[in-house]
Amino acid sequence: MSFFAEYPQQRYTVSNVTVQREVLLPGGITGVLNVRDGQRVEINTIIARGQLPARHHIVEAAALLRLRRPEQLDELVTVSVGDPVEEGERLTTKGRRVVSPVFGTVAGIESGRIIIREDAEEVEVVAGMAGWVTDIRPRRGAVIQAAANVVQGIWGNGKRAIGAMRVEPEDGLEFIQGDSINLEWRGAIVLSRRPLTEIGMGIMEEQDIAGVIAPGMDSTLIGAAMQMDRAIMLTEGFGESRISLSVLNFITETIEENRNIRGTLDAVTPDPLEARRPELIMNIAVREGNEPPPPRTIDRLRNNMRVKVTTPPYTGQVGTIVDLPLTPTRIEGGIRTYVATVQLTSGERLNVPIANLEVFAG
């Protein structure tokens, strides 16, 4: 068998492990560190602060005023280089359309244009886990180590959220409604049994829900999900799949066994060039010196291993490997490929191409 066949993709739904995660300022920006190596941190401990690069906006003032010569603008402007301006503030003595598009500072007035430098946005990153700083990334962040239960997903919208763990109502996210924000859901990370819908995304905004873990959603909602400032992670993929019982039971049992547990939903968007996966990390309490082992990062296929099927019609179903044929097997469509014989939790046995399996650690 090839290396690929022996070592397939792996996602984790695993309890009581020690994890290490880099916590860095976004976008490669640098800033000021607030922690030191070996320091104890809590979930909301600020690791680093920095500023996003300031953007410049060009206002085509002469064109908007229909001036014949750019130099005519000099007699009409009401601001000077270095002046602070507010969003919507008029920049000339006439012409309603000549306004500042942002809060910022006038950086230049030349060739009929007014250049506005947007105010730099301050950003900060927090630990997201209660644990210890094990390494420092100068001016960027740190590596945090903690004991946790971990659930990794298939897709995320690139956002990060920290909040109390909740399970959606029996009837779904759509039934979290009301004229005012329900404090039970405000700032929470909510597990949904059903695919996320456009209405569900609206409920996230209305009820100030910090993040949602859902089995899937329609691919037409990707653009809207990426524009949200709330975290979304899919555990099964795009489409109408319901959440697998293994993931549902794992998260609900963790919530029941750990009162008031908080989670960090790091819904990174998968990148083929990176090893990071979207994941939910739920901190668990352990005694110092009794830390659990790390998860196994590379697991070779073997009999009795739990795996998850990633393609229809068995998407999301979990089973156990009962046989690993040493030679390629002919499957539907006439293709010969390496397969694993998997017995699903329903009792059904099927030959699944290795490429369509993920190791299900847990």
Side-chain angles (χ1 to χ4, degrees):
M1 297 178 71
S2 67
F3 180 87
F4 172 75
E6 292 183 272
Y7 297 91
Q9 296 186 66
Q10 300 181 58
R11 287 189 301 129
Y12 294 99
T13 299
V14 60
S15 62
N16 198 29
V17 293
T18 293
V19 295
Q20 287 190 336
R21 296 293 184 267
E22 275 191 326
V23 180
L24 304 175
L25 288 167
I29 67 175
T30 57
V32 178
L33 286 183
N34 283 30
V35 296
R36 64 184 184 281
D37 197 5
Q39 179 179 333
R40 169 75 183 180
V41 295
E42 302 302 326
I43 288 180
N44 289 317
T45 299
I46 297 173
I47 301 299
R49 289 188 174 94
Q51 288 187 335
L52 293 175
R55 293 187 299 173
H56 287 74
H57 300 262
I58 297 176
V59 180
E60 297 285 356
L64 290 171
L65 296 174
R66 298 181 180 179
L67 302 178
R68 293 182 178 181
R69 301 188 309 278
E71 56 268 23
Q72 290 179 285
L73 179 64
D74 297 339
E75 300 176 359
L76 301 175
V77 292
T78 57
V79 293
S80 302
V81 174
D83 286 352
V85 291
E86 297 183 2
E87 182 177 352
E89 180 179 336
R90 287 187 59 175
L91 304 176
T92 61
T93 56
K94 66 176 183 178
R96 294 180 181 177
R97 294 173 296 174
V98 185
V99 298
S100 173
V102 294
F103 289 91
T105 303
V106 178
I109 302 172
E110 54 188 48
S111 303
R113 300 182 176 96
I114 303 173
I115 303 170
I116 307 296
R117 183 177 63 250
E118 189 173 357
D119 289 343
E121 180 182 351
E122 292 191 1
V123 294
E124 60 184 31
V125 289
V126 298
M129 300 189 296
W132 303 89
V133 176
T134 60
D135 201 1
I136 293 294
R137 301 290 186 259
R139 302 186 66 194
R140 294 290 318 284
V143 177
I144 311 299
Q145 177 174 299
N149 291 358
V150 181
V151 178
Q152 293 186 327
I154 286 180
W155 183 86
N157 69 337
K159 307 303 189 298
R160 188 172 187 247
I162 299 172
M165 295 300 305
R166 299 282 186 268
V167 179
E168 70 174 2
E170 287 294 331
D171 294 325
L173 280 176
E174 290 77 5
F175 286 82
I176 306 176
Q177 295 181 0
D179 296 331
S180 59
I181 293 176
N182 188 324
L183 294 181
E184 179 182 358
W185 309 103
R186 184 175 187 176
I189 295 173
V190 181
L191 172 65
S192 174
R193 304 174 185 86
R194 304 161 180 79
L196 184 61
T197 64
E198 186 173 4
I199 295 175
M201 292 167 66
I203 296 296
M204 290 179 68
E205 296 281 4
E206 291 175 9
Q207 295 296 324
D208 197 19
I209 294 171
V212 163
I213 302 156
M217 70 178 187
D218 195 287
S219 60
T220 59
L221 297 177
I222 291 176
M226 296 295 287
Q227 291 178 8
M228 294 185 74
D229 59 0
R230 304 167 194 279
I232 296 171
M233 182 178 82
L234 306 183
T235 61
E236 314 302 326
F238 295 100
E240 295 299 318
S241 299
R242 294 178 69 89
I243 201 161
S244 68
L245 285 177
S246 54
V247 171
L248 174 63
N249 292 338
F250 181 82
I251 296 178
T252 53
E253 288 172 5
T254 299
I255 295 172
E256 291 169 358
E257 293 171 1
N258 299 269
R259 186 178 179 182
N260 298 324
I261 190 169
R262 292 166 62 81
T264 297
L265 182 56
D266 190 11
V268 299
T269 304
D271 186 326
L273 300 180
E274 293 186 0
R276 292 179 65 195
R277 290 182 178 274
E279 62 183 0
L280 169 69
I281 295 178
M282 297 175 285
N283 257 144
I284 56 175
V286 296
R287 293 181 179 178
E288 189 173 351
N290 194 34
E291 291 81 5
R296 298 171 66 173
T297 55
I298 297 183
D299 220 346
R300 181 173 179 170
L301 287 178
R302 61 183 184 278
N303 286 334
N304 299 318
M305 174 179 280
R306 295 180 72 208
V307 291
K308 178 181 287 188
V309 183
T310 62
T311 53
Y314 299 97
T315 304
Q317 294 198 38
V318 175
T320 303
I321 294 178
V322 294
D323 190 25
L324 283 166
L326 296 177
T327 57
T329 299
R330 188 181 300 277
I331 60 173
E332 186 176 353
I335 299 175
R336 294 181 64 85
T337 186
Y338 288 108
V339 303
T341 304
V342 178
Q343 181 167 323
L344 302 178
T345 52
S346 63
E348 183 179 359
R349 288 195 178 196
L350 58 151
N351 288 328
V352 183
I354 300 300
N356 298 343
L357 288 176
E358 288 186 335
V359 174
F360 186 77

